[in-house]
Short mmCIF file of all heavy atoms in Angstrom, two decimals:
data_model
loop_
_atom_site.label_atom_id
_atom_site.label_comp_id
_atom_site.label_asym_id
_atom_site.label_seq_id
_atom_site.Cartn_x
_atom_site.Cartn_y
_atom_site.Cartn_z
N LEU L 21 -23.54 62.58 67.47
CA LEU L 21 -24.76 61.88 67.31
C LEU L 21 -24.53 60.38 67.43
O LEU L 21 -25.26 59.70 68.08
CB LEU L 21 -25.33 62.21 65.88
CG LEU L 21 -26.64 61.42 65.58
CD1 LEU L 21 -27.73 61.73 66.53
CD2 LEU L 21 -27.08 61.75 64.11
N PHE L 22 -23.52 59.91 66.77
CA PHE L 22 -23.20 58.39 66.87
C PHE L 22 -22.76 58.02 68.22
O PHE L 22 -22.90 56.85 68.60
CB PHE L 22 -22.11 58.09 65.80
CG PHE L 22 -22.69 57.92 64.43
CD1 PHE L 22 -22.52 58.88 63.44
CD2 PHE L 22 -23.35 56.73 64.10
CE1 PHE L 22 -23.10 58.66 62.15
CE2 PHE L 22 -23.90 56.56 62.85
CZ PHE L 22 -23.76 57.52 61.89
N LEU L 23 -22.23 58.91 69.06
CA LEU L 23 -21.84 58.58 70.40
C LEU L 23 -23.07 58.55 71.29
O LEU L 23 -23.25 57.73 72.11
CB LEU L 23 -20.85 59.53 70.95
CG LEU L 23 -20.39 59.34 72.35
CD1 LEU L 23 -19.70 57.94 72.48
CD2 LEU L 23 -19.43 60.43 72.81
N LEU L 24 -23.96 59.53 71.08
CA LEU L 24 -25.19 59.65 72.05
C LEU L 24 -26.18 58.60 71.82
O LEU L 24 -26.83 58.18 72.79
CB LEU L 24 -25.81 61.00 71.76
CG LEU L 24 -25.12 62.22 72.48
CD1 LEU L 24 -25.83 63.49 72.20
CD2 LEU L 24 -25.16 61.94 73.99
N LEU L 25 -26.40 58.17 70.59
CA LEU L 25 -27.37 57.11 70.33
C LEU L 25 -27.19 55.83 71.10
O LEU L 25 -28.06 55.37 71.79
CB LEU L 25 -27.52 56.88 68.80
CG LEU L 25 -28.24 57.98 68.02
CD1 LEU L 25 -28.26 57.67 66.56
CD2 LEU L 25 -29.58 58.24 68.45
N PRO L 26 -25.92 55.26 71.10
CA PRO L 26 -25.77 54.09 71.88
C PRO L 26 -25.82 54.36 73.34
O PRO L 26 -26.17 53.48 74.16
CB PRO L 26 -24.41 53.56 71.46
CG PRO L 26 -23.70 54.72 70.76
CD PRO L 26 -24.82 55.52 70.12
N VAL L 27 -25.36 55.56 73.77
CA VAL L 27 -25.48 55.92 75.22
C VAL L 27 -26.88 55.91 75.63
O VAL L 27 -27.24 55.43 76.68
CB VAL L 27 -24.77 57.26 75.39
CG1 VAL L 27 -25.07 57.78 76.87
CG2 VAL L 27 -23.31 57.30 75.25
N ALA L 28 -27.81 56.52 74.73
CA ALA L 28 -29.21 56.55 75.09
C ALA L 28 -29.77 55.13 75.17
O ALA L 28 -30.57 54.76 76.13
CB ALA L 28 -29.94 57.38 74.03
N ALA L 29 -29.44 54.35 74.26
CA ALA L 29 -29.97 52.96 74.23
C ALA L 29 -29.44 52.19 75.52
O ALA L 29 -30.24 51.53 76.17
CB ALA L 29 -29.54 52.22 72.94
N PHE L 30 -28.18 52.40 75.80
CA PHE L 30 -27.55 51.72 76.95
C PHE L 30 -28.23 52.22 78.23
O PHE L 30 -28.47 51.40 79.12
CB PHE L 30 -26.05 51.92 77.00
CG PHE L 30 -25.34 51.08 78.07
CD1 PHE L 30 -25.33 49.73 77.93
CD2 PHE L 30 -24.80 51.68 79.09
CE1 PHE L 30 -24.69 48.98 78.90
CE2 PHE L 30 -24.04 50.94 80.03
CZ PHE L 30 -24.03 49.54 79.99
N SER L 31 -28.49 53.49 78.37
CA SER L 31 -29.14 54.06 79.45
C SER L 31 -30.52 53.39 79.71
O SER L 31 -30.94 53.11 80.83
CB SER L 31 -29.23 55.53 79.37
OG SER L 31 -27.89 56.10 79.32
N GLY L 32 -31.25 53.26 78.58
CA GLY L 32 -32.61 52.70 78.63
C GLY L 32 -32.52 51.20 79.14
O GLY L 32 -33.30 50.78 79.93
N TRP L 33 -31.52 50.55 78.60
CA TRP L 33 -31.28 49.12 78.98
C TRP L 33 -30.94 49.05 80.51
O TRP L 33 -31.44 48.18 81.23
CB TRP L 33 -30.20 48.48 78.16
CG TRP L 33 -29.86 47.10 78.65
CD1 TRP L 33 -30.50 45.95 78.36
CD2 TRP L 33 -28.68 46.76 79.39
NE1 TRP L 33 -29.85 44.89 78.93
CE2 TRP L 33 -28.76 45.35 79.51
CE3 TRP L 33 -27.57 47.45 79.97
CZ2 TRP L 33 -27.80 44.59 80.27
CZ3 TRP L 33 -26.69 46.70 80.60
CH2 TRP L 33 -26.76 45.32 80.80
N MET L 34 -30.12 49.92 81.01
CA MET L 34 -29.78 49.95 82.38
C MET L 34 -31.02 50.23 83.22
O MET L 34 -31.22 49.63 84.31
CB MET L 34 -28.75 50.97 82.65
CG MET L 34 -27.36 50.72 82.14
SD MET L 34 -26.64 49.20 82.87
CE MET L 34 -26.17 49.98 84.46
N ALA L 35 -31.89 51.10 82.77
CA ALA L 35 -33.16 51.39 83.52
C ALA L 35 -34.02 50.16 83.63
O ALA L 35 -34.52 49.88 84.68
CB ALA L 35 -33.92 52.54 82.85
N GLY L 36 -34.11 49.42 82.55
CA GLY L 36 -34.91 48.22 82.60
C GLY L 36 -34.25 47.14 83.51
O GLY L 36 -34.93 46.36 84.16
N ARG L 37 -32.87 47.04 83.41
CA ARG L 37 -32.12 46.07 84.20
C ARG L 37 -32.32 46.19 85.71
O ARG L 37 -32.32 45.28 86.46
CB ARG L 37 -30.68 46.21 83.80
CG ARG L 37 -29.72 45.19 84.50
CD ARG L 37 -28.33 45.49 84.14
NE ARG L 37 -27.43 44.64 84.85
CZ ARG L 37 -26.18 44.93 85.03
NH1 ARG L 37 -25.73 46.08 84.57
NH2 ARG L 37 -25.36 44.06 85.72
N ARG L 38 -32.50 47.47 86.10
CA ARG L 38 -32.64 47.74 87.52
C ARG L 38 -34.11 47.70 88.01
O ARG L 38 -34.42 48.12 89.10
CB ARG L 38 -32.07 49.16 87.77
CG ARG L 38 -30.57 49.24 87.50
CD ARG L 38 -30.13 50.65 87.80
NE ARG L 38 -28.70 50.84 87.45
CZ ARG L 38 -28.27 51.70 86.62
NH1 ARG L 38 -29.06 52.56 86.05
NH2 ARG L 38 -26.97 51.87 86.38
#
Side-chain angles (χ1 to χ4, degrees):
L21 177 62
F22 277 103
L23 179 60
L24 279 178
L25 288 177
V27 171
F30 187 64
S31 299
W33 174 76
M34 291 294 287
R37 181 185 175 201
R38 298 179 182 123

